[in-house]
Amino acid sequence: MTTPHVDFNTVFDGAAALASGEMDAVRTSPVTPATMAREYIARGIQPTPLRFQTKEAYLDGWPQLRITHETVPQYFEGQPQNIGGVMGTMSGGIVDVDFDWPEAADIGERILPRTWTFGRGGKIRHMLVRAPGAKTLRLDGPSSLCREGEKPRVIELLSDGTQVMLPGSNHPEGQRVEWLIDPEACEIAAMDAPVLKSLVEAIAGASLLVRIWPDQEGHRHELALAVAGVLHHAGWPPKRIRKLLIEGVFQVVRDEERRDRIRAVHDTLRDAEHGKAITGLPRLRDLLPADVVDKLVGWWGLGAGVMLTMGGNPMIGGHVGQYPASGIGPIHHNTVAPPGIGGYGGQYPTGAHNIWPPLEEFECDLPGSTAEYPVAQLGSLLGGAVDALVARQQVPRALAAQSILIASSAVVQPHFDVECDGRTVPTSLWCVMVAAPGERKTTTDDVALARIREHTREKQKTYQVALAAWKQGGSDGDAEMPRPRNPNMLLQDSTTEGLVKALHQHWPAQVLTNSDAGAWLGGYSMREGRDLGTVATLSGFWSGTPYVKLRAKDDEPVVLYNRRLALSLMIQPTLAAKLFGSEMLAGQGFLSRCLPAFPPSKIGQRTYQPVQPDARLEAFYAAQNRLLEMPPDMTMESGELHPKVLRLTPDALQAWIRHHNEFERELLGIYAPILEVANKSADQLLRLAGIRAAMEGSTEVTADLIEDAAGLVRWYHEEWLSLRGRLEAHRTEVTEPLQLLDWMRKRREETASNRFNLREIYRSGPRIVRNRTSHAKALMQELQRRGYVRPAGADYELRPEGQS
């Protein structure tokens, strides 16, 4: 999580102190109330004296009192004092988030951005944020949840007219108030006032859930579904829901089945995205005490639009088929809905055997993600090239970004690794684009790779001359000089053996670009029995580990050191579910190394535009040329590369460590569903930052490159979460049910029977359900929900063709 930049040189009286070096003098002076007051003034916080070991401000008019560096001695004379800070306008919009309940502090630490934080006894109690215009807010929880002797106040937002006891003070209970994250460690977070208010209210509500969670044993799964559902109905974005529940609530509560709760949230959001029924406020009222729900309704903005009408029938949450107040099953309109339809069990009631529910046909289109690619975090050189490609090719921004990144990785990977804390990481990238034919992926790659192809074409001429001379010097390579290496680095189609041969005998840094990954997945290298070895080999090249291979016919093993492989695949949406749903590909780490993108289509929106010279592309080509003309450090005999290292500056290393730790914490939170992907977050961050540094001509990786790369990694993780959920839903709700339905229809033609039983299906059905009882049941339930089948005694009846 990045922290917005704040320039302290512009903050009130702190400007003079910082500009004159007075801050350094303050820090080297003995710690007295006066020196502390001067430091707070330099930080933009208006101090006020408090009585020793109290929170009491004893000066009249303290909310408007302005204390400057010159007048500090008038108010802080060195006697024992506590020191407070006036919040709000007097401190340039700095406000205090005051956590009264410990649950609020635990959640706030995870939800709010990194900022100045203090407390006592090592526990967080306060976080300072710059939010001009924020109003004071006090949120009290229901008395039923208060512990003995505890006040109902859950959390406060302190602004104008309030002060807070600051570090350097003694708490009335005798503990010292101390910084936990001090102003030297980070900049104060800056937020819009409405955003901060909503986050404080979100934390308050989450605190109630954490406190009441231990009492919900037996229906915590339903509660997780209901809470995610009401937040969706309230209009919360999915990212914010995941942040609050997965990174907040489920990280704080002690629940042995935390993974189930996380999955419940993802399932709810996935179902909502596909228009399926999800629970709402009525179900939440069934599960929680009324006083708790009332607080959540007020703080979270629940209830708006929860009970709407359509054709005189109630519609819960604005969607047909949502749960009624009982939370038992979906409402169906203008039809008699048997209990067996809609997924809530039971057989047809008497006399209802001839009633078919409305048919919900399959929608085979799979929409792309709407998340805009963060081009600004590629910098002016790479980002400018992306914008130029978008303008020229009229393609989605994410597609253009993938092309520019691969074209950059291609020229950087032979020359540079990134060194971080004693270990080196290659600058090879693997990108996967989910796109339909006609999205101009190939032609966009052609533009991004144009200089590489021109360079290779010129080098081929020199290579052919050198090869002919080498052959004249000996037979079959017996010349004294090593065999020349073919400079081609772009492969469009290759078997594993062909790729290894190219890396072994020819150029040691290759780029495999394939605009039809479906053909590659179905090709020789990915056939059953060979796919495991192919994936393991490719994954080793991504990591830069040595490749060792020995066959019985070989006298010596093939050993390849320091080879590099960049990868760019495009796959159609209809086949993407196979790729992202493959347990083998995920388990072997192939997919976890990929940066995916699935942007919405631009087909039908593109008008003719003449090709014009673009300075942004020319600047990109010039950066490529500089690296292409630089001979890689390579041992010709063995082909081993010796890349130079790009080292992190001290600030960059600290930034990388911070992001590394944040990603690690999120492995059990928001990134739990993509654990194998997020495990490589810190590695991908270094690759992206290193590529940008090399393309920009830098010999080191700076902190700003790390921050931008971290933003890119988070975008790719969000794309992973969205893509995996949508593709998995498409596979289980469309692709596989359709396969089963097609099999049933063919079977009906063969047997003239319209009835099927589960045993027949999982014994003789299509491969996807063969000997998989639970999976067969799940697909039948999906067909039943859509109205294609219905229970008939112990069997299922297939809907007649043309039956409405």
Side-chain angles (χ1 to χ4, degrees):
M1 186 182 304
T2 59
T3 304
H5 176 71
V6 177
D7 182 3
F8 280 111
N9 291 318
T10 64
V11 178
F12 290 91
D13 298 300
L18 291 172
S20 65
E22 188 169 347
M23 177 65 78
D24 292 332
V26 167
R27 294 194 191 106
T28 57
S29 301
V31 178
T32 66
T35 58
M36 292 169 51
R38 288 191 178 96
E39 177 147 358
Y40 285 127
I41 292 172
R43 293 297 181 187
I45 299 175
Q46 180 57 217
T48 188
L50 308 180
R51 297 190 189 279
F52 181 64
Q53 206 161 327
T54 75
K55 300 179 181 180
E56 180 185 350
Y58 56 85
L59 294 177
D60 294 336
W62 62 263
Q64 290 78 40
L65 180 64
R66 169 74 69 186
I67 301 176
T68 66
H69 289 281
E70 292 74 20
T71 60
V72 161
Q74 300 177 29
Y75 303 98
F76 299 92
E77 294 296 341
Q79 72 272 20
Q81 281 180 300
N82 279 357
I83 187 167
V86 182
M87 296 291 98
T89 305
M90 291 294 290
S91 292
I94 294 178
V95 297
D96 174 52
V97 182
D98 182 354
F99 305 107
D100 289 276
W101 282 14
E103 294 88 349
D106 288 342
I107 295 169
E109 182 184 8
R110 292 165 169 81
I111 299 302
L112 292 173
R114 179 179 171 86
T115 190
W116 302 349
T117 303
F118 59 96
R120 50 195 170 91
K123 295 182 179 179
I124 292 176
R125 297 301 296 266
H126 301 267
M127 297 178 75
L128 298 181
V129 178
R130 188 180 303 283
K135 305 298 182 183
T136 295
L137 178 67
R138 295 179 170 91
L139 301 178
D140 291 346
S143 57
S144 61
L145 293 187
C146 292
R147 301 187 176 112
E148 184 176 356
E150 184 181 49
K151 296 179 181 179
R153 185 68 41 80
V154 178
I155 190 172
E156 292 181 276
L157 179 59
L158 302 178
S159 186
D160 288 346
T162 67
Q163 59 86 16
V164 61
M165 185 171 58
L166 293 173
S169 302
N170 279 41
H171 191 269
E173 296 180 3
Q175 296 168 307
R176 189 73 169 168
V177 180
E178 298 176 327
W179 287 113
L180 301 176
I181 302 178
D182 65 37
E184 290 299 300
C186 74
E187 297 169 347
I188 190 170
M191 303 178 68
D192 291 335
V195 173
L196 179 58
K197 177 179 180 292
S198 66
L199 282 176
V200 169
E201 292 171 329
I203 292 167
S207 303
L208 303 188
L209 287 180
V210 171
R211 181 158 289 195
I212 204 171
W213 200 266
D215 301 328
Q216 307 306 307
E217 187 172 1
H219 55 262
R220 291 172 185 160
H221 177 80
E222 293 179 81
L223 183 56
L225 293 172
V227 173
V230 296
L231 292 177
H232 168 76
H233 293 315
W236 284 38
K239 184 176 181 179
R240 187 179 177 194
I241 296 173
R242 293 191 187 102
K243 183 80 174 177
L244 180 68
L245 298 183
I246 296 176
E247 293 189 37
V249 173
F250 299 147
Q251 283 296 301
V252 176
V253 297
R254 295 184 178 181
D255 190 334
E256 295 179 353
E257 298 183 75
R258 182 169 54 187
R259 287 185 178 273
D260 171 79
R261 316 309 177 218
I262 293 172
R263 174 56 60 188
V265 173
H266 287 298
D267 289 347
T268 296
L269 298 180
R270 182 199 65 192
D271 289 346
E273 185 178 359
H274 288 81
K276 297 178 65 176
I278 61 174
T279 52
L281 185 56
R283 184 57 179 149
L284 191 66
R285 291 193 182 278
D286 288 344
L287 297 170
L288 295 179
D291 56 354
V292 175
V293 176
D294 289 343
K295 292 292 183 181
L296 297 179
V297 167
W299 294 343
W300 286 356
L302 309 181
V306 171
M307 286 299 295
L308 306 176
T309 60
M310 177 177 286
N313 292 316
M315 184 168 70
I316 307 300
H319 294 282
V320 175
Q322 298 293 53
Y323 290 91
S326 66
I328 296 175
I331 298 172
H332 294 268
H333 300 287
N334 305 320
T335 185
V336 178
I341 303 299
Y344 59 95
Q347 299 297 323
Y348 286 102
T350 304
H353 289 285
N354 295 321
I355 300 174
W356 283 96
L359 187 65
E360 182 182 335
E361 297 184 357
F362 290 96
E363 295 180 2
C364 295
D365 291 336
L366 191 62
S369 169
T370 57
E372 191 62 42
Y373 193 92
V375 174
Q377 291 174 319
L378 286 172
S380 59
L381 176 67
L382 302 188
V386 170
D387 289 337
L389 270 185
V390 170
R392 174 180 291 192
Q393 298 294 113
Q394 300 183 71
V395 294
R397 187 164 276 103
L399 190 155
Q402 299 286 75
S403 294
I404 291 297
L405 282 175
I406 284 298
S408 301
S409 180
V411 297
V412 172
Q413 65 175 357
H415 298 290
F416 295 103
D417 291 341
V418 180
E419 183 181 84
C420 179
D421 202 20
R423 69 187 186 98
T424 58
V425 176
T427 51
S428 304
L429 291 182
W430 288 6
C431 294
V432 173
M433 172 64 60
V434 181
E439 288 290 356
R440 299 181 175 173
K441 171 70 166 64
T442 301
T443 55
T444 302
D445 278 349
D446 287 344
V447 177
L449 299 169
R451 284 294 185 270
I452 298 177
R453 290 202 169 97
E454 290 177 10
H455 172 83
T456 302
R457 188 180 303 115
E458 291 301 316
K459 292 294 182 181
Q460 284 284 352
K461 298 175 184 177
T462 305
Y463 163 71
Q464 293 297 337
V465 172
L467 181 63
W470 179 81
K471 288 182 176 179
Q472 290 178 359
S475 174
D476 297 327
D478 288 335
E480 294 182 2
M481 295 296 294
R483 178 188 175 106
R485 292 182 174 272
N486 192 319
N488 180 68
M489 66 177 75
L490 299 178
L491 297 173
Q492 280 74 48
D493 187 19
S494 176
T495 62
T496 307
E497 288 76 8
L499 175 62
V500 170
K501 184 174 182 178
L503 291 168
H504 177 39
Q505 297 183 7
H506 300 294
W507 204 246
Q510 293 287 331
V511 184
L512 178 59
T513 64
N514 194 313
S515 59
D516 184 9
W520 180 71
L521 287 171
Y524 175 74
S525 293
M526 293 299 289
R527 290 177 185 171
E528 188 172 355
R530 300 186 57 83
D531 49 7
L532 194 63
T534 293
V535 168
T537 298
L538 295 178
S539 298
F541 287 134
W542 184 84
S543 303
T545 55
Y547 172 85
V548 181
K549 182 178 180 180
L550 178 65
R551 292 288 184 264
K553 63 179 181 179
D554 298 327
D555 294 329
E556 298 287 342
V558 174
V559 183
L560 307 183
Y561 293 100
N562 274 342
R563 276 11 182 222
R564 297 293 182 262
L565 174 66
L567 184 70
S568 177
L569 301 177
M570 190 187 88
I571 187 168
Q572 298 180 27
T574 53
L575 296 176
K578 175 182 177 181
L579 179 65
F580 285 81
S582 169
E583 294 180 3
M584 184 276 297
L585 291 178
Q588 288 299 311
F590 176 77
L591 283 176
S592 64
R593 292 168 166 83
C594 295
L595 301 175
F598 183 15
S601 175
K602 290 285 187 179
I603 294 176
Q605 306 171 40
R606 304 166 300 195
T607 58
Y608 173 77
Q609 293 183 4
V611 176
Q612 300 287 346
D614 195 308
R616 295 170 297 182
L617 272 178
E618 292 305 319
F620 175 72
Y621 290 150
Q624 283 186 308
N625 278 337
R626 175 175 51 82
L627 292 167
L628 287 169
E629 295 300 329
M630 181 192 306
D633 188 350
M634 174 177 62
T635 302
M636 286 298 295
E637 290 82 358
S638 65
E640 180 179 357
L641 289 167
H642 306 285
K644 299 179 177 64
V645 293
L646 298 165
R647 292 184 172 85
L648 275 63
T649 65
D651 287 346
L653 177 59
Q654 291 305 311
W656 179 82
I657 290 173
R658 174 164 51 83
H659 287 295
H660 173 283
N661 293 341
E662 288 176 355
F663 284 129
E664 182 66 23
R665 286 194 297 269
E666 290 162 347
L667 292 179
L668 297 178
I670 190 173
Y671 297 145
I674 56 168
L675 182 64
E676 71 282 1
V677 174
N679 257 327
K680 296 176 175 59
S681 302
D683 194 317
Q684 297 280 25
L685 192 162
L686 292 174
R687 291 170 187 253
L688 289 164
I691 287 171
R692 182 176 159 191
M695 287 293 290
E696 293 177 359
S698 176
T699 57
E700 61 183 9
V701 177
T702 56
D704 61 321
L705 297 184
I706 292 292
E707 296 293 350
D708 283 346
L712 293 172
V713 171
R714 289 189 179 279
W715 185 89
Y716 280 113
H717 285 353
E718 287 297 322
E719 196 76 350
W720 252 109
L721 285 167
S722 174
L723 184 58
R724 173 169 285 186
R726 284 179 290 133
L727 291 174
E728 176 66 16
H730 192 268
R731 181 178 66 83
T732 59
E733 298 169 12
V734 177
T735 306
E736 292 187 350
L738 271 176
Q739 290 183 44
L740 179 56
L741 180 62
D742 289 343
W743 177 85
M744 294 173 71
R745 285 170 171 169
K746 291 178 182 178
R747 189 80 165 186
R748 179 174 58 188
E749 294 176 1
E750 296 170 357
T751 63
S753 173
N754 208 38
R755 290 201 171 198
F756 300 84
N757 60 65
L758 279 176
R759 176 173 294 184
E760 176 188 11
I761 290 170
Y762 64 72
R763 284 186 175 180
S764 306
R767 185 180 298 275
I768 55 174
V769 298
R770 199 81 55 81
N771 298 320
R772 300 175 64 190
T773 309
S774 60
H775 195 50
K777 289 180 180 179
L779 295 184
M780 287 299 289
Q781 288 174 358
E782 180 64 20
L783 291 176
Q784 180 183 338
R785 185 185 71 80
R786 290 179 175 273
Y788 286 94
V789 301
R790 65 184 182 186
D795 299 331
Y796 289 90
E797 180 183 359
L798 180 61
R799 190 185 196 113
E801 296 291 337
Q803 175 72 52
S804 61

